[in-house]
Amino acid sequence: MAKYFDVHPDNPQPRTIGQVADSIRAGALIAYPTDSCYALGCRLGSREGIDRIRTIRKLDDRHHFTLVCRDFAQLGQFVRIDNDVFRAVKASTPGSYTFILPATKEVPRMLQHPKKKTVGVRIPGHVVTQALLAELGEPLLSSTLLLPGEEEPMTQGWEIKDLLDHQVDAVLDSGDCGTEPTTVIDFSGGEAEIVRRGAGDVSRFE
């Protein structure tokens, strides 16, 4: 059964955040809130976590996983980014955007797109997510909590707990965080390509 953590959305309890971070370090798969719906997350190098996310969401090997980073400095360790792209990404973070960029050697090959050698990265603005990332000290490997056959992601922590009780190890609930996933921008070819229109404003990339 999944552990359930009720967290204040504006002032997350440090002890609870510490417990969740410890569970991630120990290999847990969690469901957690972001500034654009709930996501599944695990430790960066956890093959078991990746396999479990693929199973829950029925994903193939072409799916872009996302590294959810605390800040721009951390993001820069995992993707290659030139000056023009740097400015565009910097101006849009933190926020509800996922950027697809060429991965550095810091990214395990199992997380990279098999042909493009790219990975998704984002910096969320959500208080609880930021507190968890600060405590963890490394990015969270993540994927939107959108179940097979559903058009919208899950939005309520208690519903996630009920439905995925035996598929995840912990649920971090800080209330409703919307149904719209991130806007996805692919910069791997040098120019901005809008892959998915979501919560982030796309006008600056058109």
Side-chain angles (χ1 to χ4, degrees), residues 40 50 53-65 143-144 146 148:
L40 295 167
I50 293 172
I53 292 172
R54 287 192 196 280
T55 298
I56 291 170
R57 292 203 55 203
K58 291 186 165 46
L59 301 171
D60 61 28
D61 63 359
R62 295 186 301 276
H63 177 74
H64 265 111
F65 283 97
S143 183
T144 302
L146 180 61

Side-chain angles (χ1 to χ4, degrees), residues 14 23 53 72 80 84-85 114-115 127 136 145 148 152 169 178 187-188 190 195:
S23 71
I53 292 172
F72 209 85
R80 298 196 306 276
D84 289 342
V85 175
K115 292 183 178 178
V127 172
L136 192 60
L145 214 176
E152 290 190 343
D169 300 304
F187 272 117
S188 61
V195 177

Side-chain angles (χ1 to χ4, degrees), residues 155-170:
T155 61
Q156 300 291 339
W158 61 269
E159 287 182 337
I160 296 168
K161 160 74 169 159
D162 283 350
L163 192 62
L164 300 180
D165 203 19
H166 299 288
Q167 293 178 275
V168 301
D169 300 304

Side-chain angles (χ1 to χ4, degrees), residues 71-89:
D71 53 29
F72 209 85
Q74 191 177 71
L75 179 148
Q77 298 173 39
F78 297 94
V79 290
R80 298 196 306 276
I81 187 165
D82 64 26
N83 288 338
D84 289 342
V85 175
F86 176 95
R87 286 191 288 270
V89 173

Side-chain angles (χ1 to χ4, degrees), residues 20 24 29-42 53 56-57 63 65-68 98 122 124 126 129 132 140-147 153-157 160 164 168 170-175 177-178 180-182 196:
V20 176
I24 294 167
L29 175 64
I30 70 164
Y32 71 100
T34 76
D35 45 0
S36 54
C37 69
Y38 276 81
L40 295 167
C42 65
I53 292 172
I56 291 170
R57 292 203 55 203
H63 177 74
F65 283 97
T66 299
L67 301 183
V68 178
T98 297
R122 67 170 297 206
H126 196 281
T129 318
L132 181 58
L140 261 175
L141 186 161
S142 290
S143 183
T144 302
L145 214 176
L146 180 61
L147 297 178
M154 299 189 73
T155 61
Q156 300 291 339
I160 296 168
L164 300 180
V168 301
V171 176
L172 191 59
D173 187 357
S174 64
C177 55
E180 214 171 2
T182 56
R196 179 177 71 196

